[in-house]
């Protein structure tokens, strides 16, 4: 059975148009953005609904899987003890959440108008990019390039804003760069994402002072992130690398896979 | 009717992947849920349905990812065309052969995107990452395709047997 010619012609046409959109041709990009924004606005509430069972899944992971491990360790565990452990775990989760929310509140209380607390409702469907979706959007005053942090440190920046949700590119993404200073030293460099857990600190010359364990904070010179936000900790310095720069690995303070809430800094 | 079911299934699975799988720390557990939909509709339904599903799945993936505008639609339509080309050359007779075709489509998709990234300015930094996740993504998509094929078989038996 031969495919209808019209379908093949249509698909080649779509292929050409999408290639022009991909390469950033303004006419195509402008029209496509409108369609994408419209679709994104429909998708926002759906994501929130799908994200609801997340708490249940999280609870299941924190309790049931722990319980299975405990069972393996101790075969004599009785049903009553299991129930008590479940309850304890629940309390522990609540305590952790309380602690987390308190630290967020402490930070946001200083300048209430400048911060928006957002919940993470999803992440990138492709593991090629390091992006997360938050439940705050244009209606909450969010704009592109706004910095996103947690009380622990920097998370990333807002890259796409829809009516009800926004996308945040984490500092772990290979396209992310942050201007940072080494705390307590005169050293300054660019912190780049690698698409993996570890970040890379670039352009630190061999004359600069840097050691394993040094803490990095944002310099405020990149026009996105405010000064003094913790960015990460130096975990490896390769001083034997050829060239004028060190090869430095940095561990971010946040584990981006385990975040529940983030703070968006609205002041620019 | 079947096309709408595939579109709905693709949308629901994509949303579930984005919202629920985010809690699982393993990065490689990211199957491309849209590929089995495209392959199935192109192979077993009409070609027009395959194109519609490809475009919609591309748009959905772009909404749920930080990929550059147009890139996912480009990839999905290209996969649709490749599937169409192989339609008369490959024979899908079981869930396992369907799974192999889906896994192969994911490998093709990754290689095409890596190539596109290489020729497009600014996106080349992701090449290493795309190639790194190519095989795990293909394997997990292949596994998922087995379940999808079985589920569609069940739907066919239960609801569409009179078609």
């Amino acid at each position: 059975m031969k495919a209808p010619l019209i379908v093949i012609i249509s698909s080649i046409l779509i292929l050409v148009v999408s290639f022009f959109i991909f390469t950033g041709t303004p006419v195509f990009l402008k029209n496509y953005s409108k369609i994408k924004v419209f679709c994104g606005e429909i998708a926002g509430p759906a994501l929130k609904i799908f994200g609801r069972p997340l708490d249940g899944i999280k609870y299941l992971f924190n309790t049931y899987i722990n319980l299975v491990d405990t069972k393996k360790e101790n075969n004599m565990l009785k049903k009553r003890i299991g129930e008590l452990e479940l309850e304890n775990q629940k309390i522990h989760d609540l305590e952790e959440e309380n602690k987390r929310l308190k630290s967020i509140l402490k930070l946001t209380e200083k300048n209430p108008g400048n911060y928006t607390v957002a919940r993470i409702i999803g992440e990138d469907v492709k593991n090629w990019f390091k992006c997360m979706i938050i439940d705050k959007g244009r209606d909450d005053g969010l704009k592109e390039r706004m910095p996103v942090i947690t009380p622990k440190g920097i998370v990333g920046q807002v890259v796409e804003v829809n009516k009800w949700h926004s996308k945040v590119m984490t500092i772990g993404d290979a396209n992310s760069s942050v201007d940072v200073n080494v705390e307590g030293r005169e050293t300054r460099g660019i912190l780049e994402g690698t698409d993996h857990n570890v970040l890379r600190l670039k352009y630190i010359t061999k004359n600069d002072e840097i050691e394993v364990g040094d803490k990095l904070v944002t310099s405020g010179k990149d026009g996105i992130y405010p000064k003094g936000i913790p960015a990460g900790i130096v975990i490896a310095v390769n001083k034997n690398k050829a060239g004028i720069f060190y090869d430095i690995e940095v561990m971010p303070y946040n584990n981006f896979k385990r975040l529940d809430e983030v703070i968006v800094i609205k002041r620019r | 009717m079947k096309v709408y079911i595939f579109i709905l299934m693709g949308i629901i699975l994509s949303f579930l992947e984005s919202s629920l799988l985010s809690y699982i720390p393993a990065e490689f557990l990211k199957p491309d849920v849209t590929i089995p939909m495209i392959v199935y509709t192109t192979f077993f339904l009409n070609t027009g349905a395959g194109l519609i599903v490809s475009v919609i799945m591309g748009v959905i993936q772009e909404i749920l990812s930080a990929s550059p505008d147009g890139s996912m639609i480009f990839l999905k339509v290209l996969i649709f065309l490749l599937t169409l080309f192989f339609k008369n050359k490959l024979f899908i007779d079981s869930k396992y052969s369907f799974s192999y075709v889906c896994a192969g489509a994911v490998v093709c998709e990754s290689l095409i995107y890596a190539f596109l990234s290489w020729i497009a300015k600014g996106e080349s930094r992701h090449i290493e990452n795309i190639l790194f996740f190519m095989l795990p993504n293909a394997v997990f998509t292949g596994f998922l395709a087995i379940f999808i094929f079985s589920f569609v078989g069940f739907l066919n038996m239960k609801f569409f047997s009179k078609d």
Side-chain angles (χ1 to χ4, degrees), chain A residues 1-8 11, chain B residues 38 41-54 80 83-84 87:
Chain A
M1 192 176 70
K2 282 213 163 185
L5 197 65
I6 184 104
V7 176
I8 294 173
S11 42
Chain B
I38 296 167
T41 45
T42 313
F43 261 92
F44 299 107
L45 305 183
N46 60 63
T47 44
L51 178 62
I52 293 166
V53 170
S54 310
F80 159 74
T83 314
L84 203 61
K87 193 176 174 178

Side-chain angles (χ1 to χ4, degrees), chain B residues 66-111:
Chain B
S67 56
D69 286 349
S71 59
M72 287 299 137
I73 298 176
F74 182 86
L75 278 182
K76 301 301 168 201
V77 175
L78 206 60
I79 290 296
F80 159 74
L81 282 173
L82 282 173
T83 314
L84 203 61
F85 178 73
F86 284 110
K87 193 176 174 178
N88 297 325
K89 292 174 179 62
L90 291 173
F91 181 62
I92 296 180
D93 60 341
S94 69
K95 55 188 175 186
Y96 302 109
S97 45
F98 178 69
S99 155
Y100 293 140
V101 173
C102 290
V106 172
V107 171
C108 281
E109 186 190 42
S110 304
L111 290 174

Side-chain angles (χ1 to χ4, degrees), chain A residues 15-82:
Chain A
L15 211 61
V16 171
V17 170
S18 58
F19 185 76
F20 279 123
I21 297 167
F22 180 41
T23 49
T25 311
V27 186
F28 293 101
L29 199 62
K30 201 179 167 187
N31 290 318
Y32 180 70
S33 295
K34 284 177 192 166
I35 300 166
K36 201 179 165 188
V37 163
F38 174 73
C39 295
E41 283 173 8
I42 300 167
L47 251 180
K48 280 185 189 174
I49 294 164
F50 278 99
R52 285 272 161 85
L54 192 66
D55 290 336
I57 299 247
K58 187 181 154 191
Y59 179 71
L60 194 78
F61 266 84
N62 281 345
T63 54
Y64 181 73
I65 285 171
N66 283 349
L67 191 66
V68 170
D69 287 342
T70 319
K71 247 183 173 177
K72 281 178 187 167
E73 285 168 19
N74 187 0
N75 289 326
M76 299 300 286
L77 199 69
K78 289 175 186 171
K79 196 185 171 190
R80 180 73 186 136
I81 298 168

Side-chain angles (χ1 to χ4, degrees), chain A residues 142-201:
Chain A
L142 262 61
K143 284 178 187 156
E144 281 173 13
R145 300 180 74 200
M146 280 181 171
V148 180
I149 61 166
T150 68
K152 277 186 191 172
I154 195 168
V155 173
Q157 59 171 302
V158 178
V159 287
E160 196 181 305
V161 183
N162 285 291
K163 193 173 167 66
W164 288 299
H165 73 282
S166 305
K167 283 180 202 164
V168 175
M169 178 178 74
T170 67
I171 52 169
D173 191 282
N175 281 332
S176 164
S177 300
V178 186
D179 197 318
V180 290
N181 285 333
V182 180
E183 209 174 49
R185 299 184 198 262
E186 293 293 310
T187 311
R188 185 182 158 202
I190 302 291
L191 189 62
E192 284 188 356
T194 57
D195 278 335
H196 299 288
N197 293 336
V198 175
L199 312 175
R200 208 162 284 280
L201 183 61

Side-chain angles (χ1 to χ4, degrees), chain B residues 4 17 21 47 61 74 84 88 101 104 107 115 121 140 156:
Chain B
Y4 298 123
E17 188 180 18
L21 280 187
T47 44
Q61 282 213 332
F74 182 86
L84 203 61
N88 297 325
V101 173
V107 171
F115 178 71
K121 278 181 184 175
F140 281 104
N156 281 338

